[in-house]
């Protein structure tokens, strides 16, 4: 309404609408630039995520392969330890038998005295 209490004229209403549309247009242009920046940022973040995912997958695969190799090496080492332990036991038995035979022969072929 105007000062005189009358409705604004069509020209005044159109003028206000033109002003509003011009303001909206300016805001759209401002937001358009912001949207472009946001889209570029999202694209960059997506690329970074893809790179990190690929790197993570490579690291996981490398670790899994290393773990498999470590398990295989541990199995080889356990087997070598068992074989060495068996050789050691056999040597100890042989030495014990030799000591027993020596003591037996020293006692004139009789069994060692019992206590």
């Amino acid at each position: 309404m105007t000062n005189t209490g009358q409705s604004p004229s069509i020209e005044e209403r159109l003028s206000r609408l033109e002003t509003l549309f011009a303001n909206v247009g300016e805001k759209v242009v401002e937001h358009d630039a912001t949207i472009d920046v946001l889209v570029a940022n999202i694209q960059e973040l997506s690329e970074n995520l893809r790179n990190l995912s690929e790197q993570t997958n490579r690291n996981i695969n490398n670790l899994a392969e290393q773990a498999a190799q470590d398990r295989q090496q541990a199995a080889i080492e356990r087997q070598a330890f068992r074989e060495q332990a068996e050789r050691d036991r056999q040597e100890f038995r042989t030495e014990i038998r030799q000591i027993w035979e020596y003591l037996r022969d020293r006692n004139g072929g009789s069994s060692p005295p019992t206590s």
Side-chain angles (χ1 to χ4, degrees), residues 93-110:
R93 286 182 187 135
T94 300
E95 289 177 15
I96 290 169
R97 180 168 296 285
Q98 289 171 346
I99 292 169
W100 180 80
E101 288 173 356
Y102 169 78
L103 292 173
R104 183 192 65 197
D105 292 345
R106 194 168 161 206
N107 286 335
S110 63

Side-chain angles (χ1 to χ4, degrees), residues 14-90:
L14 286 176
S15 176
R16 279 192 302 184
L17 285 174
E18 287 174 351
T19 302
L20 287 173
F21 283 132
N23 290 339
V24 167
E26 289 174 12
K27 290 295 179 186
V28 167
V29 169
E30 289 175 20
H31 291 306
D32 192 42
T34 302
I35 289 171
D36 289 343
V37 169
L38 291 173
V39 167
N41 288 343
I42 289 170
Q43 289 172 338
E44 183 179 348
L45 289 171
S46 295
E47 181 64 25
N48 290 344
L49 178 61
R50 274 191 297 277
N51 291 340
L52 285 172
S53 294
E54 290 172 5
Q55 183 179 0
T56 299
N57 287 336
R58 282 192 304 272
N59 289 344
I60 288 170
N61 290 338
N62 289 342
L63 289 172
E65 184 178 326
Q66 184 63 47
Q69 291 173 355
D70 290 348
R71 282 191 301 275
Q72 184 178 17
Q73 184 62 35
I76 292 169
E77 290 172 2
R78 278 193 308 274
Q79 183 61 32
F81 178 79
R82 286 184 192 115
E83 291 170 1
Q84 184 61 46
E86 183 58 33
R87 285 191 296 272
D88 290 346
R89 276 193 292 279
Q90 203 56 36

